[in-house]
Amino acid sequence: MKQTLLRSAAIATLVATAALTAHAQRSAPPAAPAAPAARAADISAPPALLAAAVREGEALPRLHSLLVSQRGTVLVERYFHGTRASRLANVKSVAKSVISALVGVAVARGLIPSVREPIGTYFAAELRTPGDAPKRAITVEDLLTMRSGLETTSNRNYGAWVRSPNWVRFVLAQPLQTPPGTAMDYSTGSTHLLSAILTKATRKTTLQFAQEALAAPLGFTLAPWTRDPQGIYFGGNDMAMTPRQMLAFGELYLRQGRAGETQVLPPQWIRDSWVPRGRSLRGDRDDREYGYGWWMRTLAGQRTYYAWGFGGQFIFVVPALELVVVTTSSTATDDERRTHRRTVNELVESLVIAPLADAAPNSSR
């Protein structure tokens, strides 16, 4: 599959570089609007350089959408297999990047003193015994970076966790496997604790805070999503967004936290979020790094930051190319999902990032 994608990319690059250049000259980048995140070009006919990506996307039975925006202009917006632009997608763990952004807003407003704040500040009742002292010392940053040291509540423990009567207590009851702040172990429980902290610190539900602090400046309204038995919105899973809302969120990070004239997130939070602080050893690759709720890899020679959700939900941000790419996919739990996720990665790398990098002025590829 990857060789086929690479051959298609090479052909498309040779044929269409001039076409994309002319398209870019006709579509001067606009000022950054709040919503939509990027203005639409003539997306009924995507630039020839990206036509191969659209063709490959149409051939993937699990792919629901593909959006490509560069320099504030939407170059591709395609929906597949009956999906419509207005259809909400369960973005799965893309929600972890959204929760990270909300923590950034809360820190900037002084609602959370800093990322070094120990979680004992917020969970004194749950962590009240002398033996809980090491857990009380876990910091907000440890949760953002998946380095709490607690036994994971994802993968093998996920079912037992979400069936438990109190999700926060279940997470905090897990044994410490490593000292906090030392080793990454991916766990949705960590971001759920962040949602609980946001609820306490802001005195609002995570949804209410997200509407006011994030969605409203970006020009949309978030749909309610799953809550735990205590009413805390699920931190890090099952959030529902349209692909255009995902694109607006990616554009926010590309534009250093600005939406139009509004500084939603401090630029320093974006920079801190994209500092590698751990490396995932699970799955089929060992080059995935992790920051504050964002993954990092080099794709087609370009440093790429991405929000990643189960099944093929992605927001890719490539700052050097002023590029944001969004995909949504089926969340069905069958054997094809891993192959599909790898194929989506290859499509974005070989048929979107690579040709746009090759077409960029002074390209060294």
Side-chain angles (χ1 to χ4, degrees):
M1 176 66 180
K2 190 167 186 176
Q3 290 177 343
T4 302
L5 293 177
L6 289 169
R7 284 197 298 271
S8 299
I11 293 169
T13 300
L14 289 172
V15 172
T17 299
L20 183 69
T21 301
H23 177 89
Q25 290 172 344
R26 291 193 302 270
S27 304
R39 81 177 166 85
D42 181 11
I43 55 178
S44 62
L49 200 61
L50 300 176
V54 174
R55 288 195 301 271
E56 293 291 343
E58 290 172 340
L60 295 178
R62 298 174 64 95
L63 190 64
H64 289 172
S65 69
L66 172 66
L67 283 70
V68 180
S69 172
Q70 188 175 39
R71 302 185 190 95
T73 298
V74 177
L75 303 179
V76 172
E77 183 173 9
R78 288 299 174 93
Y79 301 93
F80 308 112
H81 313 301
T83 302
R84 296 185 177 183
S86 58
R87 177 176 170 179
L88 290 168
N90 183 342
V91 299
K92 294 296 191 178
S93 289
V94 166
K96 292 177 171 64
S97 305
V98 177
I99 291 292
S100 171
L102 295 176
V103 173
V105 174
V107 170
R109 294 183 180 182
L111 301 171
I112 296 174
S114 81
V115 294
R116 305 292 193 275
E117 188 70 12
I119 68 171
T121 302
Y122 304 99
F123 303 118
E126 293 85 357
L127 300 172
R128 61 183 183 274
T129 70
D132 289 328
K135 293 181 182 180
R136 289 196 294 271
I138 295 169
T139 66
V140 169
E141 184 176 65
D142 294 335
L143 299 178
L144 286 165
T145 58
M146 301 290 175
R147 298 183 301 175
S148 72
L150 294 168
E151 169 74 20
T152 181
T153 58
S154 294
N155 303 301
R156 63 189 178 276
N157 295 326
Y158 185 82
W161 173 44
V162 296
R163 289 192 300 269
S164 71
N166 189 310
W167 294 8
V168 167
R169 287 182 181 173
F170 187 98
V171 175
L172 294 173
Q174 299 309 299
L176 277 173
Q177 306 282 43
T178 58
T182 60
M184 178 183 176
D185 194 4
Y186 187 85
S187 177
T188 302
S190 290
T191 39
H192 191 62
L193 291 183
L194 289 173
S195 183
I197 289 171
L198 286 166
T199 302
K200 292 173 180 284
T202 66
R203 298 185 179 182
K204 299 177 181 179
T205 68
T206 301
L207 174 60
Q208 289 170 335
F209 187 61
Q211 299 285 27
E212 176 260 313
L214 191 63
L218 294 178
F220 61 82
T221 300
L222 276 171
W225 68 98
T226 305
R227 291 195 277 182
D228 74 7
Q230 285 64 51
I232 298 167
Y233 279 91
F234 202 167
N237 201 357
D238 286 350
M239 190 177 287
M241 301 174 75
T242 67
R244 269 283 183 157
Q245 291 170 356
M246 297 166 69
L247 187 69
F249 182 69
E251 290 278 345
L252 177 70
Y253 272 71
L254 180 65
R255 298 173 184 276
Q256 291 296 296
R258 290 189 69 81
E261 298 302 315
T262 304
Q263 191 72 50
V264 180
L265 275 171
Q268 188 60 49
W269 184 262
I270 311 292
R271 291 190 287 270
D272 290 345
S273 296
W274 288 350
V275 172
R277 300 169 195 274
R279 185 181 297 271
S280 174
L281 300 180
R282 287 198 173 100
D284 57 345
R285 302 188 65 103
D286 63 0
D287 63 344
R288 291 190 293 255
E289 297 171 309
Y290 200 73
Y292 287 179
W294 285 81
W295 296 92
M296 288 154 266
R297 279 176 59 195
T298 297
L299 296 176
Q302 306 296 316
R303 191 61 170 163
T304 302
Y305 308 90
Y306 59 104
W308 171 18
F310 175 92
Q313 329 309 318
F314 286 105
I315 305 171
F316 296 93
V317 182
V318 189
L321 299 178
E322 299 179 72
L323 177 68
V324 180
V325 183
V326 167
T327 69
T328 61
S329 303
S330 168
T331 58
T333 56
D334 55 37
D335 292 339
E336 296 178 357
R337 70 186 188 277
R338 291 186 178 87
T339 301
H340 173 77
R341 185 252 302 162
R342 288 192 293 269
T343 302
V344 169
N345 271 284
E346 291 165 3
L347 185 156
V348 171
E349 179 175 19
S350 301
L351 299 183
V352 178
I353 297 176
L356 290 175
D358 287 340
N362 304 316
S363 172
S364 59
R365 277 177 47 83

